[in-house]
Amino acid sequence: MVQIANLQYGWTLFVDPINDKFHFGRAAIQWAFTIFIVTETWLVPVEGWLVDKFGPRVVVLGGGLLVGIAWLMNSQAASLPMFYAAAAIGGTGAGAVYGTAVGNSLKWFPDKRGMAAGITAAGFGAGAAFTVIPIANMIKNSGYQSAFFFFGLIQGVLVLLFGAFLRAPRAGEVPLAAVNSRVQQTRSDSTPQEAVKTRTFWIMYAVFFMVATGGIMATAQLGPIAKDFKVANMPVNFFGFTVVALPFALSLDRVMNGLTRPFCGWVSDHIGRENTMFIAFLIEGIGILLLLRNASDARLFVILTGLVFFAWGEIYSLFPATVADMYGRKYCTTIYGILYTAKGCAAVGVPLSAMIVARSGWSTVFYIVAALNFLAAFVALFILKPASVRAHQAPLPDALGISRI
């Protein structure tokens, strides 16, 4: 998970250098990021099915080959179609690794699903924290092509190395989850076909989409945002250390994005998934509005982007845990894979946000994203939570084959 993090979270460092060399335009370049997210997410259900059928090791080893190839292609790309093809290959590989690792953690630790999914997803959220500055320095000193080649090779090899040790729990190896009054967990296993026929699944899908939209936009556009607000290269002093704002913000964001996943997963194991969602989504919306107001202050830019990413990253622990709670662990990798495609839908907002910015500036984008987070908080607490309770009480489908919940 750590090795695939740069494919998503390191991308923003390459956007302007690519544009400076080829003058494709930011919006055109950002379609590569959208293609990456779409292939990373929309193929996860297929990859989840392969995991449930053949085990995690084979799928992750295939993913390792693809993520290495993708960045090696980026290092040689000289046209948009080449960047787009590399993005599709990298997204397919990253999705294979991501979906497999998270799904496997849910199967191994049913009594602490929030925490387990959070720690696993933290590898992806925080994995780029220690490589952001080295990548930025290599781009500055040797060019972005060298950074793509060097880190692509290392990341692909390490995925292959660690992927060789993955396996799913054998029959009887993992006990049933303990009874938790705060988190209801089904004792039966729903198939993917049964899961997508429930209204609860589509409520979760809508909430996931709304929150993911802002986080994906910030991930891809943080570099351009910092540049447009003229803070990207400003020095910032924290506790006696002076660092450049953008690389430091990117490193801090990766750390915060990683820490929130196990932390909020642990919190949700104690106070409930939907209650945790409500609190986090509210903080996210407030953080985005504060960032818009203070983005031209380099110090506040760093602090507030950290807050935004802390309040966003928890969706990658809360939602897989909720899926396993709701539909059981046997097919949870595939079912979460289907839900994860909401992130792919959200990625369309990246090039759209670039076009909106070109027309009316960043304010419109920030207000839309904040509104989506406030709406998601309301839906999570007042619609998803009651629906989840009803789901555990009356999970049978009606005569039309659509669950009453």
Side-chain angles (χ1 to χ4, degrees), residues 148-193:
F148 270 136
F149 185 89
F150 181 75
F151 283 92
L153 189 63
I154 291 176
Q155 289 160 183
V157 169
L158 290 178
V159 170
L160 294 175
L161 176 63
F162 291 109
F165 295 94
L166 279 181
R167 71 173 180 87
R170 302 183 181 95
E173 196 169 9
V174 175
L176 293 174
V179 176
N180 185 338
S181 61
R182 295 291 185 180
V183 179
Q184 298 186 71
Q185 295 184 344
T186 183
R187 297 284 173 163
S188 60
D189 294 306
S190 298
T191 65
Q193 293 84 351

mmCIF file of all heavy atoms in Angstrom, residues 148-193:
data_model
loop_
_atom_site.group_PDB
_atom_site.id
_atom_site.type_symbol
_atom_site.label_atom_id
_atom_site.label_comp_id
_atom_site.label_asym_id
_atom_site.label_seq_id
_atom_site.Cartn_x
_atom_site.Cartn_y
_atom_site.Cartn_z
ATOM 1 N N PHE A 148 10.039 9.973 -12.385
ATOM 2 C CA PHE A 148 9.113 8.913 -12.789
ATOM 3 C C PHE A 148 9.849 7.579 -12.909
ATOM 4 O O PHE A 148 9.385 6.542 -12.413
ATOM 5 C CB PHE A 148 8.467 9.247 -14.135
ATOM 6 C CG PHE A 148 7.177 10.031 -14.027
ATOM 7 C CD1 PHE A 148 6.944 11.116 -14.860
ATOM 8 C CD2 PHE A 148 6.186 9.657 -13.126
ATOM 9 C CE1 PHE A 148 5.748 11.828 -14.787
ATOM 10 C CE2 PHE A 148 4.993 10.357 -13.040
ATOM 11 C CZ PHE A 148 4.781 11.452 -13.872
ATOM 12 N N PHE A 149 10.993 7.572 -13.570
ATOM 13 C CA PHE A 149 11.717 6.322 -13.828
ATOM 14 C C PHE A 149 12.240 5.706 -12.542
ATOM 15 O O PHE A 149 12.010 4.517 -12.268
ATOM 16 C CB PHE A 149 12.876 6.590 -14.790
ATOM 17 C CG PHE A 149 13.601 5.345 -15.205
ATOM 18 C CD1 PHE A 149 13.186 4.624 -16.316
ATOM 19 C CD2 PHE A 149 14.701 4.880 -14.493
ATOM 20 C CE1 PHE A 149 13.836 3.456 -16.695
ATOM 21 C CE2 PHE A 149 15.362 3.717 -14.858
ATOM 22 C CZ PHE A 149 14.926 3.005 -15.966
ATOM 23 N N PHE A 150 12.935 6.503 -11.736
ATOM 24 C CA PHE A 150 13.583 5.986 -10.531
ATOM 25 C C PHE A 150 12.558 5.462 -9.528
ATOM 26 O O PHE A 150 12.659 4.325 -9.056
ATOM 27 C CB PHE A 150 14.427 7.092 -9.909
ATOM 28 C CG PHE A 150 15.159 6.676 -8.665
ATOM 29 C CD1 PHE A 150 16.288 5.873 -8.735
ATOM 30 C CD2 PHE A 150 14.714 7.089 -7.419
ATOM 31 C CE1 PHE A 150 16.964 5.492 -7.578
ATOM 32 C CE2 PHE A 150 15.384 6.711 -6.264
ATOM 33 C CZ PHE A 150 16.505 5.909 -6.349
ATOM 34 N N PHE A 151 11.551 6.271 -9.219
ATOM 35 C CA PHE A 151 10.572 5.852 -8.214
ATOM 36 C C PHE A 151 9.615 4.791 -8.764
ATOM 37 O O PHE A 151 9.146 3.931 -8.013
ATOM 38 C CB PHE A 151 9.806 7.063 -7.684
ATOM 39 C CG PHE A 151 10.597 7.882 -6.707
ATOM 40 C CD1 PHE A 151 11.356 8.959 -7.130
ATOM 41 C CD2 PHE A 151 10.621 7.544 -5.363
ATOM 42 C CE1 PHE A 151 12.112 9.700 -6.235
ATOM 43 C CE2 PHE A 151 11.372 8.276 -4.455
ATOM 44 C CZ PHE A 151 12.124 9.362 -4.891
ATOM 45 N N GLY A 152 9.333 4.830 -10.045
ATOM 46 C CA GLY A 152 8.491 3.787 -10.636
ATOM 47 C C GLY A 152 9.126 2.421 -10.512
ATOM 48 O O GLY A 152 8.468 1.424 -10.181
ATOM 49 N N LEU A 153 10.418 2.360 -10.758
ATOM 50 C CA LEU A 153 11.141 1.092 -10.665
ATOM 51 C C LEU A 153 11.149 0.573 -9.232
ATOM 52 O O LEU A 153 10.855 -0.604 -8.971
ATOM 53 C CB LEU A 153 12.573 1.291 -11.171
ATOM 54 C CG LEU A 153 13.418 0.028 -11.357
ATOM 55 C CD1 LEU A 153 12.813 -0.876 -12.421
ATOM 56 C CD2 LEU A 153 14.846 0.414 -11.746
ATOM 57 N N ILE A 154 11.466 1.444 -8.286
ATOM 58 C CA ILE A 154 11.518 1.038 -6.881
ATOM 59 C C ILE A 154 10.152 0.578 -6.389
ATOM 60 O O ILE A 154 10.016 -0.479 -5.746
ATOM 61 C CB ILE A 154 12.031 2.198 -6.009
ATOM 62 C CG1 ILE A 154 13.502 2.466 -6.288
ATOM 63 C CG2 ILE A 154 11.817 1.897 -4.525
ATOM 64 C CD1 ILE A 154 14.055 3.649 -5.532
ATOM 65 N N GLN A 155 9.119 1.354 -6.695
ATOM 66 C CA GLN A 155 7.772 1.029 -6.206
ATOM 67 C C GLN A 155 7.290 -0.304 -6.757
ATOM 68 O O GLN A 155 6.732 -1.127 -6.017
ATOM 69 C CB GLN A 155 6.810 2.166 -6.592
ATOM 70 C CG GLN A 155 7.061 3.428 -5.794
ATOM 71 C CD GLN A 155 6.516 4.690 -6.422
ATOM 72 O OE1 GLN A 155 6.711 5.782 -5.898
ATOM 73 N NE2 GLN A 155 5.845 4.566 -7.554
ATOM 74 N N GLY A 156 7.488 -0.548 -8.041
ATOM 75 C CA GLY A 156 7.039 -1.807 -8.628
ATOM 76 C C GLY A 156 7.724 -3.010 -8.011
ATOM 77 O O GLY A 156 7.080 -4.014 -7.685
ATOM 78 N N VAL A 157 9.044 -2.918 -7.824
ATOM 79 C CA VAL A 157 9.807 -4.037 -7.255
ATOM 80 C C VAL A 157 9.366 -4.339 -5.825
ATOM 81 O O VAL A 157 9.205 -5.508 -5.435
ATOM 82 C CB VAL A 157 11.320 -3.731 -7.309
ATOM 83 C CG1 VAL A 157 12.106 -4.752 -6.488
ATOM 84 C CG2 VAL A 157 11.805 -3.739 -8.749
ATOM 85 N N LEU A 158 9.137 -3.286 -5.022
ATOM 86 C CA LEU A 158 8.762 -3.506 -3.627
ATOM 87 C C LEU A 158 7.354 -4.073 -3.483
ATOM 88 O O LEU A 158 7.085 -4.845 -2.561
ATOM 89 C CB LEU A 158 8.905 -2.206 -2.836
ATOM 90 C CG LEU A 158 10.349 -1.747 -2.612
ATOM 91 C CD1 LEU A 158 10.397 -0.430 -1.854
ATOM 92 C CD2 LEU A 158 11.151 -2.804 -1.854
ATOM 93 N N VAL A 159 6.432 -3.701 -4.380
ATOM 94 C CA VAL A 159 5.105 -4.320 -4.349
ATOM 95 C C VAL A 159 5.226 -5.824 -4.596
ATOM 96 O O VAL A 159 4.602 -6.648 -3.917
ATOM 97 C CB VAL A 159 4.162 -3.687 -5.394
ATOM 98 C CG1 VAL A 159 2.865 -4.505 -5.509
ATOM 99 C CG2 VAL A 159 3.823 -2.259 -5.006
ATOM 100 N N LEU A 160 6.051 -6.202 -5.555
ATOM 101 C CA LEU A 160 6.256 -7.626 -5.847
ATOM 102 C C LEU A 160 6.868 -8.345 -4.646
ATOM 103 O O LEU A 160 6.480 -9.478 -4.327
ATOM 104 C CB LEU A 160 7.170 -7.781 -7.066
ATOM 105 C CG LEU A 160 6.622 -7.294 -8.413
ATOM 106 C CD1 LEU A 160 7.689 -7.408 -9.488
ATOM 107 C CD2 LEU A 160 5.392 -8.103 -8.804
ATOM 108 N N LEU A 161 7.809 -7.696 -3.994
ATOM 109 C CA LEU A 161 8.480 -8.325 -2.855
ATOM 110 C C LEU A 161 7.511 -8.591 -1.716
ATOM 111 O O LEU A 161 7.401 -9.721 -1.214
ATOM 112 C CB LEU A 161 9.628 -7.426 -2.387
ATOM 113 C CG LEU A 161 10.374 -7.889 -1.127
ATOM 114 C CD1 LEU A 161 11.059 -9.219 -1.370
ATOM 115 C CD2 LEU A 161 11.385 -6.833 -0.678
ATOM 116 N N PHE A 162 6.791 -7.555 -1.282
ATOM 117 C CA PHE A 162 5.908 -7.718 -0.127
ATOM 118 C C PHE A 162 4.623 -8.463 -0.480
ATOM 119 O O PHE A 162 4.047 -9.147 0.369
ATOM 120 C CB PHE A 162 5.581 -6.345 0.477
ATOM 121 C CG PHE A 162 6.758 -5.689 1.138
ATOM 122 C CD1 PHE A 162 7.367 -4.574 0.579
ATOM 123 C CD2 PHE A 162 7.287 -6.207 2.306
ATOM 124 C CE1 PHE A 162 8.473 -3.980 1.181
ATOM 125 C CE2 PHE A 162 8.385 -5.616 2.918
ATOM 126 C CZ PHE A 162 8.979 -4.494 2.349
ATOM 127 N N GLY A 163 4.177 -8.344 -1.725
ATOM 128 C CA GLY A 163 2.960 -9.045 -2.135
ATOM 129 C C GLY A 163 3.096 -10.559 -2.063
ATOM 130 O O GLY A 163 2.103 -11.278 -1.912
ATOM 131 N N ALA A 164 4.314 -11.047 -2.160
ATOM 132 C CA ALA A 164 4.538 -12.497 -2.116
ATOM 133 C C ALA A 164 4.147 -13.104 -0.767
ATOM 134 O O ALA A 164 3.966 -14.320 -0.654
ATOM 135 C CB ALA A 164 6.006 -12.801 -2.417
ATOM 136 N N PHE A 165 4.002 -12.277 0.274
ATOM 137 C CA PHE A 165 3.706 -12.791 1.613
ATOM 138 C C PHE A 165 2.219 -12.733 1.969
ATOM 139 O O PHE A 165 1.829 -13.179 3.050
ATOM 140 C CB PHE A 165 4.503 -12.008 2.660
ATOM 141 C CG PHE A 165 5.987 -12.180 2.547
ATOM 142 C CD1 PHE A 165 6.754 -11.275 1.824
ATOM 143 C CD2 PHE A 165 6.625 -13.260 3.130
ATOM 144 C CE1 PHE A 165 8.133 -11.434 1.708
ATOM 145 C CE2 PHE A 165 7.998 -13.430 3.033
ATOM 146 C CZ PHE A 165 8.754 -12.510 2.308
ATOM 147 N N LEU A 166 1.388 -12.172 1.087
ATOM 148 C CA LEU A 166 -0.031 -12.037 1.412
ATOM 149 C C LEU A 166 -0.765 -13.357 1.307
ATOM 150 O O LEU A 166 -0.512 -14.155 0.401
ATOM 151 C CB LEU A 166 -0.706 -11.034 0.456
ATOM 152 C CG LEU A 166 -0.553 -9.550 0.743
ATOM 153 C CD1 LEU A 166 -1.316 -8.760 -0.304
ATOM 154 C CD2 LEU A 166 -1.073 -9.207 2.126
ATOM 155 N N ARG A 167 -1.720 -13.580 2.209
ATOM 156 C CA ARG A 167 -2.652 -14.698 2.083
ATOM 157 C C ARG A 167 -3.917 -14.379 2.864
ATOM 158 O O ARG A 167 -3.918 -13.548 3.774
ATOM 159 C CB ARG A 167 -2.040 -15.999 2.586
ATOM 160 C CG ARG A 167 -1.842 -16.113 4.083
ATOM 161 C CD ARG A 167 -1.378 -17.528 4.459
ATOM 162 N NE ARG A 167 -1.181 -17.680 5.891
ATOM 163 C CZ ARG A 167 -2.146 -18.024 6.758
ATOM 164 N NH1 ARG A 167 -3.390 -18.224 6.306
ATOM 165 N NH2 ARG A 167 -1.890 -18.159 8.033
ATOM 166 N N ALA A 168 -5.004 -15.034 2.501
ATOM 167 C CA ALA A 168 -6.273 -14.870 3.198
ATOM 168 C C ALA A 168 -6.345 -15.849 4.370
ATOM 169 O O ALA A 168 -5.652 -16.872 4.375
ATOM 170 C CB ALA A 168 -7.434 -15.125 2.237
ATOM 171 N N PRO A 169 -7.168 -15.571 5.397
ATOM 172 C CA PRO A 169 -7.311 -16.516 6.507
ATOM 173 C C PRO A 169 -7.979 -17.807 6.046
ATOM 174 O O PRO A 169 -8.878 -17.791 5.207
ATOM 175 C CB PRO A 169 -8.186 -15.755 7.512
ATOM 176 C CG PRO A 169 -8.895 -14.722 6.710
ATOM 177 C CD PRO A 169 -7.959 -14.350 5.609
ATOM 178 N N ARG A 170 -7.520 -18.901 6.609
ATOM 179 C CA ARG A 170 -8.111 -20.200 6.279
ATOM 180 C C ARG A 170 -9.354 -20.440 7.130
ATOM 181 O O ARG A 170 -9.586 -19.764 8.132
ATOM 182 C CB ARG A 170 -7.085 -21.309 6.508
ATOM 183 C CG ARG A 170 -5.810 -21.138 5.687
ATOM 184 C CD ARG A 170 -4.845 -22.305 5.893
ATOM 185 N NE ARG A 170 -3.619 -22.112 5.126
ATOM 186 C CZ ARG A 170 -2.497 -21.583 5.587
ATOM 187 N NH1 ARG A 170 -2.447 -21.189 6.868
ATOM 188 N NH2 ARG A 170 -1.438 -21.447 4.832
ATOM 189 N N ALA A 171 -10.136 -21.432 6.741
ATOM 190 C CA ALA A 171 -11.370 -21.760 7.457
ATOM 191 C C ALA A 171 -11.059 -22.060 8.921
ATOM 192 O O ALA A 171 -10.162 -22.843 9.225
ATOM 193 C CB ALA A 171 -12.054 -22.956 6.803
ATOM 194 N N GLY A 172 -11.788 -21.400 9.838
ATOM 195 C CA GLY A 172 -11.614 -21.617 11.259
ATOM 196 C C GLY A 172 -10.451 -20.868 11.877
ATOM 197 O O GLY A 172 -10.236 -20.937 13.084
ATOM 198 N N GLU A 173 -9.696 -20.138 11.080
ATOM 199 C CA GLU A 173 -8.516 -19.448 11.580
ATOM 200 C C GLU A 173 -8.864 -18.130 12.264
ATOM 201 O O GLU A 173 -8.117 -17.640 13.122
ATOM 202 C CB GLU A 173 -7.543 -19.189 10.427
ATOM 203 C CG GLU A 173 -6.142 -18.823 10.852
ATOM 204 C CD GLU A 173 -5.151 -18.826 9.694
ATOM 205 O OE1 GLU A 173 -5.589 -18.945 8.535
ATOM 206 O OE2 GLU A 173 -3.945 -18.718 9.960
ATOM 207 N N VAL A 174 -10.003 -17.552 11.893
ATOM 208 C CA VAL A 174 -10.429 -16.270 12.441
ATOM 209 C C VAL A 174 -11.779 -16.454 13.125
ATOM 210 O O VAL A 174 -12.727 -16.945 12.513
ATOM 211 C CB VAL A 174 -10.546 -15.196 11.338
ATOM 212 C CG1 VAL A 174 -11.102 -13.895 11.899
ATOM 213 C CG2 VAL A 174 -9.188 -14.951 10.702
ATOM 214 N N PRO A 175 -11.909 -16.066 14.403
ATOM 215 C CA PRO A 175 -13.186 -16.236 15.107
ATOM 216 C C PRO A 175 -14.216 -15.217 14.645
ATOM 217 O O PRO A 175 -13.895 -14.206 14.012
ATOM 218 C CB PRO A 175 -12.799 -15.986 16.573
ATOM 219 C CG PRO A 175 -11.633 -15.052 16.482
ATOM 220 C CD PRO A 175 -10.878 -15.463 15.255
ATOM 221 N N LEU A 176 -15.476 -15.459 14.992
ATOM 222 C CA LEU A 176 -16.533 -14.493 14.719
ATOM 223 C C LEU A 176 -16.304 -13.239 15.540
ATOM 224 O O LEU A 176 -15.710 -13.283 16.620
ATOM 225 C CB LEU A 176 -17.906 -15.086 15.046
ATOM 226 C CG LEU A 176 -18.381 -16.241 14.162
ATOM 227 C CD1 LEU A 176 -19.689 -16.805 14.717
ATOM 228 C CD2 LEU A 176 -18.572 -15.783 12.728
ATOM 229 N N ALA A 177 -16.787 -12.132 15.034
ATOM 230 C CA ALA A 177 -16.611 -10.861 15.739
ATOM 231 C C ALA A 177 -17.387 -10.867 17.043
ATOM 232 O O ALA A 177 -18.480 -11.436 17.147
ATOM 233 C CB ALA A 177 -17.079 -9.703 14.859
ATOM 234 N N ALA A 178 -16.809 -10.227 18.068
ATOM 235 C CA ALA A 178 -17.499 -10.093 19.352
ATOM 236 C C ALA A 178 -18.680 -9.145 19.204
ATOM 237 O O ALA A 178 -18.699 -8.255 18.356
ATOM 238 C CB ALA A 178 -16.526 -9.564 20.400
ATOM 239 N N VAL A 179 -19.697 -9.321 20.041
ATOM 240 C CA VAL A 179 -20.874 -8.462 19.998
ATOM 241 C C VAL A 179 -20.491 -7.055 20.441
ATOM 242 O O VAL A 179 -19.837 -6.859 21.458
ATOM 243 C CB VAL A 179 -21.993 -9.027 20.905
ATOM 244 C CG1 VAL A 179 -23.178 -8.072 20.928
ATOM 245 C CG2 VAL A 179 -22.423 -10.395 20.408
ATOM 246 N N ASN A 180 -20.876 -6.064 19.650
ATOM 247 C CA ASN A 180 -20.566 -4.663 19.928
ATOM 248 C C ASN A 180 -21.866 -3.873 19.850
ATOM 249 O O ASN A 180 -22.475 -3.779 18.782
ATOM 250 C CB ASN A 180 -19.551 -4.132 18.907
ATOM 251 C CG ASN A 180 -19.096 -2.719 19.225
ATOM 252 O OD1 ASN A 180 -19.774 -1.972 19.920
ATOM 253 N ND2 ASN A 180 -17.931 -2.339 18.701
ATOM 254 N N SER A 181 -22.279 -3.297 20.961
ATOM 255 C CA SER A 181 -23.559 -2.589 20.996
ATOM 256 C C SER A 181 -23.534 -1.328 20.133
ATOM 257 O O SER A 181 -24.567 -0.834 19.702
ATOM 258 C CB SER A 181 -23.922 -2.216 22.441
ATOM 259 O OG SER A 181 -22.934 -1.365 23.001
ATOM 260 N N ARG A 182 -22.330 -0.792 19.880
ATOM 261 C CA ARG A 182 -22.206 0.432 19.093
ATOM 262 C C ARG A 182 -22.153 0.147 17.596
ATOM 263 O O ARG A 182 -22.461 1.011 16.781
ATOM 264 C CB ARG A 182 -20.945 1.185 19.519
ATOM 265 C CG ARG A 182 -20.991 1.699 20.945
ATOM 266 C CD ARG A 182 -21.993 2.824 21.094
ATOM 267 N NE ARG A 182 -21.978 3.403 22.429
ATOM 268 C CZ ARG A 182 -22.743 4.396 22.821
ATOM 269 N NH1 ARG A 182 -23.606 4.920 21.982
ATOM 270 N NH2 ARG A 182 -22.683 4.855 24.058
ATOM 271 N N VAL A 183 -21.681 -1.038 17.225
ATOM 272 C CA VAL A 183 -21.525 -1.386 15.819
ATOM 273 C C VAL A 183 -22.229 -2.712 15.568
ATOM 274 O O VAL A 183 -21.783 -3.757 16.044
ATOM 275 C CB VAL A 183 -20.035 -1.502 15.429
ATOM 276 C CG1 VAL A 183 -19.909 -1.887 13.969
ATOM 277 C CG2 VAL A 183 -19.310 -0.199 15.719
ATOM 278 N N GLN A 184 -23.322 -2.668 14.823
ATOM 279 C CA GLN A 184 -24.035 -3.896 14.499
ATOM 280 C C GLN A 184 -23.338 -4.606 13.341
ATOM 281 O O GLN A 184 -22.972 -3.974 12.349
ATOM 282 C CB GLN A 184 -25.479 -3.581 14.111
ATOM 283 C CG GLN A 184 -26.280 -2.927 15.230
ATOM 284 C CD GLN A 184 -27.731 -2.774 14.866
ATOM 285 O OE1 GLN A 184 -28.486 -3.736 14.793
ATOM 286 N NE2 GLN A 184 -28.138 -1.535 14.610
ATOM 287 N N GLN A 185 -23.154 -5.921 13.476
ATOM 288 C CA GLN A 185 -22.496 -6.703 12.439
ATOM 289 C C GLN A 185 -23.338 -7.920 12.112
ATOM 290 O O GLN A 185 -23.777 -8.653 12.998
ATOM 291 C CB GLN A 185 -21.100 -7.142 12.895
ATOM 292 C CG GLN A 185 -20.142 -5.983 13.112
ATOM 293 C CD GLN A 185 -18.738 -6.454 13.462
ATOM 294 O OE1 GLN A 185 -18.539 -7.610 13.833
ATOM 295 N NE2 GLN A 185 -17.765 -5.570 13.353
ATOM 296 N N THR A 186 -23.557 -8.124 10.823
ATOM 297 C CA THR A 186 -24.339 -9.267 10.386
ATOM 298 C C THR A 186 -23.569 -10.561 10.603
ATOM 299 O O THR A 186 -22.336 -10.572 10.584
ATOM 300 C CB THR A 186 -24.714 -9.135 8.905
ATOM 301 O OG1 THR A 186 -25.544 -10.226 8.519
ATOM 302 C CG2 THR A 186 -23.475 -9.123 8.015
ATOM 303 N N ARG A 187 -24.298 -11.628 10.830
ATOM 304 C CA ARG A 187 -23.677 -12.952 10.963
ATOM 305 C C ARG A 187 -23.812 -13.759 9.683
ATOM 306 O O ARG A 187 -23.373 -14.904 9.612
ATOM 307 C CB ARG A 187 -24.343 -13.718 12.121
ATOM 308 C CG ARG A 187 -24.142 -13.056 13.481
ATOM 309 C CD ARG A 187 -22.749 -13.281 14.024
ATOM 310 N NE ARG A 187 -22.501 -12.525 15.244
ATOM 311 C CZ ARG A 187 -21.512 -12.780 16.084
ATOM 312 N NH1 ARG A 187 -20.670 -13.750 15.824
ATOM 313 N NH2 ARG A 187 -21.338 -12.035 17.161
ATOM 314 N N SER A 188 -24.421 -13.166 8.662
ATOM 315 C CA SER A 188 -24.588 -13.843 7.378
ATOM 316 C C SER A 188 -23.791 -13.104 6.309
ATOM 317 O O SER A 188 -23.346 -11.980 6.516
ATOM 318 C CB SER A 188 -26.065 -13.893 6.988
ATOM 319 O OG SER A 188 -26.595 -12.588 6.880
ATOM 320 N N ASP A 189 -23.615 -13.764 5.177
ATOM 321 C CA ASP A 189 -22.834 -13.175 4.083
ATOM 322 C C ASP A 189 -23.735 -12.928 2.887
ATOM 323 O O ASP A 189 -24.346 -13.858 2.351
ATOM 324 C CB ASP A 189 -21.692 -14.111 3.678
ATOM 325 C CG ASP A 189 -20.652 -14.270 4.780
ATOM 326 O OD1 ASP A 189 -20.147 -13.244 5.253
ATOM 327 O OD2 ASP A 189 -20.360 -15.424 5.165
ATOM 328 N N SER A 190 -23.812 -11.662 2.480
ATOM 329 C CA SER A 190 -24.574 -11.302 1.286
ATOM 330 C C SER A 190 -23.663 -11.375 0.068
ATOM 331 O O SER A 190 -22.475 -11.044 0.143
ATOM 332 C CB SER A 190 -25.127 -9.879 1.406
ATOM 333 O OG SER A 190 -26.013 -9.768 2.493
ATOM 334 N N THR A 191 -24.224 -11.786 -1.055
ATOM 335 C CA THR A 191 -23.465 -11.769 -2.296
ATOM 336 C C THR A 191 -23.438 -10.343 -2.842
ATOM 337 O O THR A 191 -24.257 -9.494 -2.452
ATOM 338 C CB THR A 191 -24.101 -12.691 -3.341
ATOM 339 O OG1 THR A 191 -25.395 -12.170 -3.692
ATOM 340 C CG2 THR A 191 -24.251 -14.112 -2.800
ATOM 341 N N PRO A 192 -22.531 -10.047 -3.746
ATOM 342 C CA PRO A 192 -22.538 -8.711 -4.357
ATOM 343 C C PRO A 192 -23.863 -8.366 -5.016
ATOM 344 O O PRO A 192 -24.330 -7.223 -4.948
ATOM 345 C CB PRO A 192 -21.402 -8.791 -5.382
ATOM 346 C CG PRO A 192 -20.469 -9.822 -4.826
ATOM 347 C CD PRO A 192 -21.358 -10.835 -4.166
ATOM 348 N N GLN A 193 -24.495 -9.367 -5.656
ATOM 349 C CA GLN A 193 -25.781 -9.124 -6.308
ATOM 350 C C GLN A 193 -26.844 -8.729 -5.286
ATOM 351 O O GLN A 193 -27.673 -7.838 -5.546
ATOM 352 C CB GLN A 193 -26.229 -10.373 -7.077
ATOM 353 C CG GLN A 193 -25.347 -10.722 -8.274
ATOM 354 C CD GLN A 193 -24.121 -11.545 -7.884
ATOM 355 O OE1 GLN A 193 -23.827 -11.728 -6.699
ATOM 356 N NE2 GLN A 193 -23.400 -12.021 -8.888
#
